[in-house]
Amino acid sequence: MTDDVVERARQALHAAEHVVIFTGAGVSAESGVPTFRGAGGLWKTFRAEDLATPEAFARDPRLVWEWYGWRRTLVAACAPNAAHEAIARYAASRRGVTVVTQNVDGLHQRAARDANASVLALHGTLFGVRCTGCGRRAPHDGPVDATSLGTLPRCDACGALLRPDVVWFGETLDPRVLDAAFDAARSAGACLVVGTSAVVQPAASVATLAARAGATLIEVNAEETSLSSAADIVLRGKAGEIVPRLLE
Ligand code: BV8
Ligand code: ZN
């Protein structure tokens, strides 16, 4: 990747009145959080059908909680990397920047807390629960005892099982969060897509909607993706190295 391409991307971002930054698991890879697809990805070892669907939870909530508890502990030991930090500083330092993430690891939010910027999390959070009975949501970041059905977390209000506050396959996304992301995409002059294979819908439409609305599409990814051919500028490499060069 030449300085010239980086400069072109910097200029496209600078010229845009509205910028959408759309991220996936690859932005957190250098923090030590496993991605989903590709080498070392979670879906190489685990089946989404067994762990990340409402049917899986109905069948075996203990197994699902065990897996989410493991991921929570893993992510809690990770810290935001140079890409999360550069994105948070950039979003806090200029108007018209919307950060949209598919990640449930909270690392953008942890970086943004220091930089005082907000994040649209399309797929929810590992560090929250939702009641399967009354629908109440609450932060929940402690360890989960998944030794048996009886030890799983339950709702204080109605006694029903609590579930991780993430969006599983076959579930609809929170319409307010999705609409806010789509609105930002439609008005973006530039869309920076970082570390996503862009195969999960409707999330991936953030990038395609922005491109269709005329935004310059900039992809930062270690590998080629389904989006690469549609991108105006492709920056091949690690998010933690490229993103700070683009945004600072
Ligand atoms: C829905 C959250 C409506 C919880 C996740 C066929 C066609 C189109 C769609 C479908 C279809 N069949 C089924 C569907 C729908 C389905 C879907 O899209 N499936 C795909 C897989 C085909 N979508 C849904 O079910 C969605 N809901 O459609 O609702 C509906 C409802 C009912 C009835 C009818 C309709 C809900 C989807 C939500 C799924 N939830 N998980 C959890 O995490 O436990 S998805 C999962 O994938 C992740 O959470 C993540 O958010 C998401 C996206 O993955 P990526 O972030 O892109 O990660 P990935 O590993 O794939 O890629 C990493 C990238 O990083 C790679 O490109 C790699 O090269 C790069 N990289 C690695 N290291 C670095 C790097 N880049 C830079 N630097 C590095 N260092
Ligand atoms: Zn309840």
Side-chain angles (χ1 to χ4, degrees):
M1 179 192 16
T2 62
D3 288 350
D4 192 43
V5 194
V6 174
E7 195 44 42
R8 255 199 320 132
R10 285 177 63 89
Q11 273 169 16
L13 291 165
H14 187 71
E17 199 176 330
H18 297 284
V19 172
V20 167
I21 302 179
F22 175 55
T23 72
V27 78
S28 298
E30 289 153 79
S31 293
V33 182
T35 60
F36 293 89
R37 297 160 192 88
L42 291 172
W43 299 148
K44 296 277 176 207
T45 319
F46 304 101
R47 277 163 38 96
E49 299 86 334
D50 295 338
L51 298 161
T53 66
E55 293 77 18
F57 189 76
R59 211 163 40 231
D60 195 346
R62 198 207 60 76
L63 177 73
V64 172
W65 260 124
E66 186 174 56
W67 191 62
Y68 278 92
W70 167 71
R71 284 176 63 200
R72 200 188 262 187
T73 306
L74 192 157
V75 167
C78 297
N81 65 48
H84 299 106
E85 274 153 17
I87 289 168
R89 276 196 296 273
Y90 182 73
S93 70
R94 61 162 281 191
R95 291 156 69 92
V97 179
T98 307
V99 180
V100 181
T101 189
Q102 300 164 87
N103 298 347
V104 295
D105 59 28
L107 292 179
H108 279 302
Q109 293 87 334
R110 275 162 65 186
R113 215 164 290 146
D114 304 330
N116 198 20
S118 71
V119 177
L120 295 173
L122 294 176
H123 291 160
T125 171
L126 276 179
F127 300 96
V129 287
R130 190 157 18 115
C131 177
T132 57
C134 68
R136 272 172 214 234
R137 301 183 125 105
H140 192 283
D141 57 10
V144 176
D145 183 352
T147 38
S148 73
L149 194 59
T151 63
L152 297 182
R154 287 191 174 265
C155 178
D156 287 340
C158 77
L161 270 183
L162 296 172
R163 55 162 281 181
D165 194 10
V166 298
V167 180
W168 283 323
F169 288 101
E171 292 188 315
T172 51
L173 283 65
D174 182 331
R176 283 164 305 182
V177 180
L178 187 63
D179 287 350
F182 281 179
D183 284 348
R186 285 193 204 94
S187 70
C191 179
L192 175 63
V193 183
V194 185
T196 177
S197 57
V199 295
V200 173
Q201 293 291 354
S205 298
V206 169
T208 45
L209 270 180
R212 216 175 299 147
T216 303
L217 199 59
I218 305 162
E219 177 180 71
V220 176
N221 198 300
E223 287 168 27
E224 188 171 347
T225 73
S226 53
L227 214 59
S228 302
S229 60
D232 298 291
I233 303 172
V234 174
L235 299 159
R236 229 6 113 240
K238 290 186 173 174
E241 290 164 14
I242 297 172
V243 172
R245 281 176 70 192
L246 278 183
L247 301 183
E248 287 174 351

